Structure formats: C-alpha cells, structure tokens
Amino acid sequence: MGSGGLALLLALALATCVSPAGRKCELSGLWRNNQESLMEISAVRDDGGFQGKYLTRVSLAGGCIRVSPLKGAQHDLGEVAWPTFGFTVRWERFSNATAVFVGQCFVDAGGKETLATTWLLREAVGSLEEDWKATRVGRNVFTRKRSHRGKTLQSWSPSCEDGLAPAL
Amino acid sequence: MGSGGLALLLALALATCVSPAGRKCELSGLWRNNQESLMEISAVRDDGGFQGKYLTRVSLAGGCIRVSPLKGAQHDLGEVAWPTFGFTVRWERFSNATAVFVGQCFVDAGGKETLATTWLLREAVGSLEEDWKATRVGRNVFTRKRSHRGKTLQSWSPSCEDGLAPAL
Amino acid sequence: MGSGGLALLLALALATCVSPAGRKCELSGLWRNNQESLMEISAVRDDGGFQGKYLTRVSLAGGCIRVSPLKGAQHDLGEVAWPTFGFTVRWERFSNATAVFVGQCFVDAGGKETLATTWLLREAVGSLEEDWKATRVGRNVFTRKRSHRGKTLQSWSPSCEDGLAPAL
Amino acid sequence: MGSGGLALLLALALATCVSPAGRKCELSGLWRNNQESLMEISAVRDDGGFQGKYLTRVSLAGGCIRVSPLKGAQHDLGEVAWPTFGFTVRWERFSNATAVFVGQCFVDAGGKETLATTWLLREAVGSLEEDWKATRVGRNVFTRKRSHRGKTLQSWSPSCEDGLAPAL
C-alpha cells in the first residue's frame, strides 16, 4: 500500500473515531422519544443544514395530528464527534404554533445513540400584552428507532381530515 | 381608474391590512435587539422557509464574534397577520454552541413592528451526565432597524482572525 | 468619637457600599414589572428567607385575581452587593398553578434598582402523560415602585368573589 | 363496629383515595432523581409551606458539595390529589447561584410516586449587561427513596472543607 492509501486509511479512522468517549453520532435516520413521537432526519448537508419530518403523539387540544416538516442545522461537521444541533418544526395546518428544539447527540460505550434535546413551543397570541403566556418549555430524549425494510415515518402517519388542534 | 387598478388597490389593501388588530408583519429585513445584536432575514419562501444572518454583540467568553447563518420557518403564510416563527443559529467557528429562537411578530397601532422571541442556547458538553447544565434560556425583543441606502448586516460585521469564544 | 463609633461607621460603610459597581441592592419593598404586576417583599431574615405578596395583572383565563403569598430565599447575606434570589408564588384559590421566579438584583450608577427575573409557571395536569405541556417560561423585569405614605400592595388589591381563573 | 368506627374508615378512605386517577401524593419524605441527587422534604404545613434539604450530585465547576436548604409551597391542601408545588434552593457557601423548581406530584396505578419538575438555575453575574447568560433550564424527575431505619439525607452528606464551586 502506498503512502496515499495509508493517508486515506488514517483520514477514515479520524472521521469515524474522532471522540475518545465513543463513536461519532449521526443525526440522520429515524428517532423516537419517550412520548412515542417519531422524527425522521435527512442526510446532513456540507453546510450543516438538514430537513426532516416530525410526527407528534401529543397535542395541546387533541384532534387530528399530521406529519410536520422540520428544518435545522448541525454544528461542526467532521471536527466534533457529538455536535450540538437545532431545528424548527412548523406544525402544518392543525396548529398555529411553532416549536424549536436544541440538543446534542451522544453515543454511549455500547453504541447506543441518544439525542438530548430541550424545546420551546410557541403559540400565537392576539397581542403583545398576551406574549407572556405564549411559550412552553420542555425536554425530549430521543433514541434511534430501527426501521424494518426501509419503513419510513410516513408509514406511521395517520390519515385524517383537516383539523384545528394546536399541538406539540 | 380601470378595473385593473381597482383590483390592484384591493390587493394592496388586503396585503397591508389583513388583521383587525393591525398591519401584517413581515419577517424579512434588518432587526436589532435590546443588546444591540443585529439580525437580517431574507424573503420568506412559499413554504415558510427563510434564511438570514445573525450578528451577536454578546458572548459567553469574549473574543472575536462573527456573522453567523440562521435558518428557520414561519407559520401560516397569508392567513394570519402575526405568525409564529422559529429559527436556528449555527455559531460558525467561534463557538461549539447552537441557538434556537421561537417567537411571534407583532405590529402596534402606530405601525411599529416587534419580534418577541424566547431562545435556548445549547453548549456542547463532554457526556450525557453533563447534559443537565448545557442549556440556557432567555428572551430577546427585536425592533426593525431602518437601513440607509441598502446597508446590510455585513456592513456592521467586525473583521477579525479566527477565535475560540463561545457566544450567544 | 470613640473607637466603638468608628467601628460602627466602618460597618455601616461596608454594609451600604460593598460593590465596586454600585450600591447594595435591597430586596425588601414594593416592586412593579413591565406588565404592571406588583410585588411586595418583606425584610430579608438572617438566614436569607423572605416573604411577600404578589398581585398579578395578567391571567391565563381572565377572571378575578387575588393577592397571592410568596416565599423565597436570597443568597449571600452581607458578602455580595447584588445577590441572586428565588421565590415561589402560590396562586390562592383562583388557580391550580404555582410559579417560581429566580433572579438577581442590580443597581446602576444612578442608583436605579432592577430585579431581573426568569419564571416558570406550572399548571396542574391530569396525568404524567400530560406533563409535557404543563410548564411555561418567561421573563420579568421589576423596578422599585415608590410608595406614598406607606401605601402597600394591599391597597391596590381588587375586591372580588371567589373565581376559578388560572393565572400568572 | 359503631358509627364512630365507620366514620373513621370513611375518613381514611377519603384521605388515601381522593383522586379518581390514584392515591393522594405526599411531598414529605426522601426523594432521589435520575442524577442521584437527594432531596428531603418536611411535613407540609397548613398554609402549604414546607422546608427541606437538597444534596446535589452534580456541580457546574466540581469541588465540595454541601447539603443546602430549600423552602417552598404546595398548592391546594386537601382538595387536589396531585398538587403543583414550587421551591427555592439556596446553595450555601459553595456557590453564588440560586435554583428554583416547580412541579407536580403524580401517583400511578401501582402506587409509584413521581415528582415531575422543571428548574431554573441562576448564577450571579457582574452587571445587567451580562444578565442574558445567567439562567439555565432543565428538568428533574424524582421518585421516592425508601429510607432504612429512619436514615436521613444528612447521613449521605459528604464532609468537606469550604469550597468555591458553583453547583446545581
């Protein structure tokens, strides 16, 4: 093997094993939280941007829940094993609220991946005077959900008519 | 005035006066908060997505601050005068942190626009055991900054060498 | 003046001027926030404990608002000019919610006192599954309200029959 | 059995089974969270007030951790099975920070008690300009810790000299 091959191997080793504490964490894939909500994240682009879908199982007012689009960004590509990230979920049609999540991806010694996140859920209010009560805070911990034969989040999505329920 | 002109007038009236409580709020443009941080938001796309730049004036550890990219989404295009929105800021190079903002745009009777936002700032920590201390919370109120002759955020940006300061 | 008098003067000087940045901040007294809510805090005891009353002007569901008792603790007596503090407000009778505030007292060069606080407002929910939506977050900035001739918070209190409105 | 005995039985039944969803939750006793921090809460007084001690296992900067006093209030005595509550922890000597917790007590069908809480941790900063970065947010879930032969929190307390570490 020439020196070029060796350099390539070293580069690969660095890319896949950059943390003394464990394996590099990959955001892309299917995730489930302790409320049984599901989240699917696309491949992360070179500029850190990613897209995805969020299917909540909980809602502020009940009613029909839909898969909602999410958009976000991951910090530090390649350099850090466990990067921080953030994303926005736009609850389509069934709520006037917007949620943002911020978190970090961890991998334990056994290879188990965890997304530890904190979120803010903002409802629309009618005036600046009501702004004080518009924001809820919470915490969500996601673990990777193994997907059978390429089953994706859309498969779990309920079918329903347009509703009006605000939701997380 | 022909019927075309009348239709135009009606369209303008709808675009500028869709809320009983006031004028429709536009996210795009240049904004300043009470900490003198600046934020520039692009035109909002049809799917609610937008991009922009954030120039913070405050930092967790001092040092060189850079203009950082932001990406987000606005709720309800066209239907609601004062939509909720959320975005992620990826602090480039000078910090390992990520911030998310969620808020709502308001316009008062005098036409003054306000973005009332709450944010979470997440630092990278070394393990899941340290996760408890990683997240700060705060509030930012932005008002529109009038820009002279197309001056943009980049014009206010400091020039500096690569630094290491974590920052909001 | 004997040495006892001198020691007393020195002690007084230390007590009133312990910070290079300004005057020592006293929690006790009458405070008003930007929502026109009022708060009255008793003298702080030697162990840091204090009591008081809170009269909110805003509520989650409207209805009759009552003066509610607060209890808390201030950090570091005597040593620090601008101590951190925290307190709990128990909304009596008109809400099932509890609020906690945490903050710090500041005095600017002109002697203006500010309590910068962040709060959590927790509503009762029917089960652990609904816990995710129970907590709101916000920020309150209080400034000292000059009281005329010993007028106290009770004087501003509305008189009303028992209501059921949850409130901040 | 006389009518007095029957009344007593009914009273006991009411006291232990006031919620359709489960048993009444009692705040007093010894609790442990998922970070192995311990908390001991006294009997709740008639006005809802309680006191206690908090022994954290985690700290912002390492160093010696001490048992710290807590003071708080529980909502709705007697009427509600699962009341909301809040309390303030004053980190004695080893930190300039103050923490507040707000939460609700739940009992599941099997009788397992859970305190679901959200907290704010406030550090002292040197000026109002630095106030933005002073507040962390997080979540703690406590379960009751069975105590053997009256062993109390003080028994687990470390012995150490005065330190300076800020801590949760």
Side-chain angles (χ1 to χ4, degrees):
Chain A
M1 183 194 292
S3 64
L6 189 62
L8 183 63
L9 273 185
L10 279 171
L12 281 170
L14 279 170
T16 54
C17 184
V18 290
S19 166
R23 201 159 59 75
K24 184 167 174 61
C25 192
E26 298 287 348
L27 268 188
S28 57
L30 192 59
W31 300 87
R32 177 169 51 185
N33 76 2
N34 42 358
Q35 298 269 11
E36 297 301 315
S37 293
L38 294 173
M39 175 170 73
E40 192 168 38
I41 294 180
S42 69
V44 178
R45 292 191 302 268
D46 285 350
D47 67 351
F50 59 83
Q51 297 190 314
K53 297 186 180 106
Y54 198 97
L55 176 58
T56 181
R57 290 291 184 208
V58 290
S59 84
L60 285 183
C64 181
I65 289 168
R66 291 172 175 284
V67 172
S68 296
L70 68 85
K71 276 180 198 182
Q74 175 186 313
H75 202 278
D76 278 337
L77 293 167
E79 301 156 38
V80 173
W82 300 350
T84 58
F85 60 88
F87 60 86
T88 303
V89 185
R90 186 172 172 257
W91 308 112
E92 282 207 325
R93 282 186 279 181
F94 66 95
S95 166
N96 61 13
T98 299
V100 287
F101 289 71
V102 71
Q104 188 175 351
C105 186
F106 296 97
V107 189
D108 71 12
K112 186 185 174 191
E113 294 154 301
T114 301
L115 304 183
T117 71
T118 305
W119 52 258
L120 296 171
L121 174 63
R122 163 87 199 197
E123 286 182 282
V125 292
S127 70
L128 201 45
E129 284 68 40
E130 295 176 273
D131 183 63
W132 68 272
K133 67 176 174 187
T135 309
R136 284 171 164 86
V137 66
R139 185 173 154 77
N140 259 357
V141 176
F142 296 88
T143 49
R144 191 177 292 279
K145 182 174 170 62
R146 296 296 155 197
S147 184
H148 301 296
R149 287 163 306 191
K151 205 178 176 192
T152 63
L153 188 145
Q154 207 67 44
S155 328
W156 279 279
S157 173
S159 76
C160 60
E161 299 307 308
D162 282 356
L164 287 165
L168 171 66
Chain B
M1 183 191 298
S3 64
L6 189 62
L8 183 63
L9 273 185
L10 280 170
L12 280 170
L14 279 170
T16 55
C17 186
V18 290
S19 165
R23 202 159 59 75
K24 184 167 173 60
C25 192
E26 297 287 348
L27 268 188
S28 57
L30 192 59
W31 301 86
R32 176 169 51 186
N33 76 1
N34 42 0
Q35 299 269 11
E36 298 301 314
S37 292
L38 294 173
M39 175 170 74
E40 192 169 38
I41 294 180
S42 69
V44 178
R45 292 192 301 268
D46 285 349
D47 66 351
F50 59 82
Q51 296 190 313
K53 297 189 180 103
Y54 197 97
L55 176 58
T56 182
R57 289 292 183 209
V58 289
S59 83
L60 285 183
C64 181
I65 289 168
R66 292 171 175 286
V67 173
S68 295
L70 69 84
K71 275 179 198 184
Q74 175 186 313
H75 203 279
D76 279 336
L77 292 166
E79 301 157 38
V80 174
W82 300 348
T84 59
F85 60 86
F87 60 85
T88 303
V89 185
R90 186 172 171 257
W91 307 111
E92 282 206 326
R93 281 187 281 182
F94 66 96
S95 166
N96 61 12
T98 298
V100 287
F101 289 70
V102 71
Q104 189 176 351
C105 186
F106 297 96
V107 190
D108 72 12
K112 186 186 174 190
E113 295 155 301
T114 301
L115 304 182
T117 71
T118 305
W119 52 258
L120 296 172
L121 173 63
R122 162 87 198 199
E123 287 182 281
V125 292
S127 70
L128 201 44
E129 285 68 39
E130 294 175 274
D131 184 62
W132 68 273
K133 68 177 174 185
T135 309
R136 284 171 165 85
V137 65
R139 186 173 152 77
N140 259 357
V141 176
F142 295 89
T143 50
R144 192 177 291 278
K145 181 173 171 63
R146 296 295 155 199
S147 184
H148 302 295
R149 287 162 306 190
K151 203 178 177 193
T152 63
L153 188 145
Q154 208 66 45
S155 327
W156 279 278
S157 173
S159 74
C160 59
E161 300 307 308
D162 282 357
L164 288 166
L168 170 67
Chain C
M1 185 192 293
S3 64
L6 189 61
L8 183 63
L9 274 184
L10 280 170
L12 280 170
L14 278 170
T16 55
C17 186
V18 290
S19 166
R23 201 159 60 75
K24 184 167 173 62
C25 192
E26 297 288 347
L27 268 188
S28 57
L30 193 59
W31 301 87
R32 177 169 50 186
N33 75 1
N34 41 358
Q35 298 268 14
E36 297 301 314
S37 292
L38 293 173
M39 175 170 73
E40 192 168 40
I41 294 181
S42 68
V44 178
R45 292 192 301 269
D46 285 349
D47 68 351
F50 59 82
Q51 297 190 314
K53 297 186 180 106
Y54 198 98
L55 176 58
T56 182
R57 289 291 184 208
V58 289
S59 84
L60 285 183
C64 181
I65 289 169
R66 290 171 175 287
V67 172
S68 296
L70 69 85
K71 276 180 199 182
Q74 175 186 315
H75 202 278
D76 279 337
L77 293 166
E79 299 155 40
V80 173
W82 300 349
T84 59
F85 60 87
F87 60 85
T88 303
V89 184
R90 187 173 171 257
W91 308 111
E92 282 206 328
R93 284 186 278 180
F94 66 95
S95 165
N96 62 13
T98 298
V100 287
F101 289 70
V102 71
Q104 189 175 351
C105 186
F106 296 97
V107 189
D108 72 11
K112 186 185 174 190
E113 294 155 301
T114 301
L115 304 183
T117 71
T118 305
W119 52 258
L120 296 171
L121 174 62
R122 162 88 199 197
E123 287 182 282
V125 292
S127 70
L128 201 45
E129 284 68 40
E130 295 176 274
D131 183 63
W132 68 273
K133 67 177 174 185
T135 310
R136 284 172 164 85
V137 65
R139 185 173 154 77
N140 260 356
V141 176
F142 296 88
T143 50
R144 192 177 292 279
K145 181 173 170 63
R146 296 296 155 197
S147 183
H148 301 295
R149 285 162 307 191
K151 204 179 176 192
T152 63
L153 187 145
Q154 208 68 45
S155 328
W156 280 277
S157 173
S159 75
C160 61
E161 300 308 308
D162 282 357
L164 287 166
L168 170 67
Chain D
M1 185 192 292
S3 64
L6 189 61
L8 183 62
L9 273 184
L10 279 171
L12 280 170
L14 279 170
T16 55
C17 185
V18 290
S19 165
R23 201 159 60 75
K24 184 167 173 60
C25 193
E26 297 287 348
L27 268 188
S28 57
L30 193 59
W31 301 86
R32 177 169 51 185
N33 76 2
N34 42 359
Q35 298 269 12
E36 298 301 314
S37 292
L38 294 173
M39 175 169 75
E40 192 168 38
I41 294 181
S42 70
V44 179
R45 292 191 302 269
D46 285 350
D47 67 351
F50 59 82
Q51 296 190 313
K53 297 188 180 104
Y54 198 97
L55 176 58
T56 182
R57 288 293 182 208
V58 289
S59 84
L60 285 183
C64 181
I65 290 168
R66 291 171 176 286
V67 173
S68 296
L70 69 84
K71 276 180 198 182
Q74 175 186 314
H75 202 278
D76 278 338
L77 292 167
E79 300 156 40
V80 174
W82 300 349
T84 59
F85 60 87
F87 59 85
T88 304
V89 185
R90 186 174 172 255
W91 307 111
E92 282 207 327
R93 282 187 279 181
F94 66 96
S95 165
N96 61 11
T98 298
V100 288
F101 289 71
V102 71
Q104 189 175 352
C105 186
F106 297 97
V107 189
D108 71 13
K112 186 185 174 190
E113 294 154 301
T114 301
L115 305 182
T117 71
T118 305
W119 53 257
L120 296 171
L121 174 62
R122 162 86 199 198
E123 287 182 280
V125 292
S127 71
L128 201 45
E129 284 69 39
E130 295 175 274
D131 184 62
W132 68 272
K133 68 176 174 185
T135 309
R136 284 170 165 86
V137 65
R139 185 173 153 76
N140 259 355
V141 176
F142 295 89
T143 50
R144 191 177 291 279
K145 181 173 169 63
R146 297 296 156 196
S147 183
H148 301 296
R149 285 162 306 189
K151 203 179 177 193
T152 63
L153 188 144
Q154 208 67 46
S155 327
W156 279 278
S157 173
S159 76
C160 60
E161 299 308 307
D162 282 357
L164 289 165
L168 169 67

